[in-house]
């Protein structure tokens, strides 16, 4: 994710981030709705698969492709698989920022 894209979205020194695959599109749309209702403009949603990326871009949501191997379906929120994927992406993001 290009740093200049992130810096352009920073609001009051912060950016709020979540991520989901297409299985959780309803969650992501609801999350975006409530974040916007709260007055937050500095946010992004990481797309964990191609379908999610297309949906978020179509919705006009600030997003990026997380390149997570097009993980489809329920990845087991809170499971070992979920934490492995999360830690991989957060480590990569931290190292590249």
């Amino acid at each position: 994710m290009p740093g200049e894209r992130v810096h352009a979205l920073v609001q009051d020194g912060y950016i709020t981030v979540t991520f989901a695959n297409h299985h959780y599109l309803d969650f992501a749309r609801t999350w975006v709705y409530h974040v916007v209702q709260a007055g937050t403009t500095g946010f992004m949603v990481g797309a964990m698969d191609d379908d999610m990326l297309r949906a978020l871009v179509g919705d006009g949501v600030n997003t990026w492709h997380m390149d997570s191997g097009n993980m489809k379906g329920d990845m087991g929120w809170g499971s070992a698989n979920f934490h492995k994927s999360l830690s991989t992406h957060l480590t990569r993001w931290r190292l590249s920022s």
Side-chain angles (χ1 to χ4, degrees), residues 19-72:
F19 58 92
N21 64 9
H22 196 262
H23 181 81
Y24 290 101
L25 178 59
D26 289 341
F27 159 80
R29 285 179 169 157
T30 301
W31 184 87
V32 168
Y33 172 82
H34 288 287
V35 167
V36 169
Q37 289 298 305
T40 302
T41 57
F43 67 89
M44 294 183 82
V45 179
M48 296 184 77
D49 61 51
D50 295 339
D51 292 338
M52 184 62 152
L53 182 65
R54 280 190 289 278
L56 293 172
V57 168
D59 289 351
V61 174
N62 294 311
T63 188
W64 81 99
H65 194 281
M66 294 180 66
D67 192 25
S68 60
N70 274 334
M71 191 178 302
K72 301 282 186 183

Side-chain angles (χ1 to χ4, degrees), residues 59-97:
D59 289 351
V61 174
N62 294 311
T63 188
W64 81 99
H65 194 281
M66 294 180 66
D67 192 25
S68 60
N70 274 334
M71 191 178 302
K72 301 282 186 183
D74 186 351
M75 51 185 201
W77 205 264
S79 69
N81 186 36
F82 172 86
H83 287 289
K84 179 181 177 189
S85 178
L86 173 64
S87 65
T88 299
H89 289 290
L90 291 180
T91 301
R92 184 175 16 173
W93 195 13
R94 177 174 281 151
L95 293 174
S96 65
S97 57

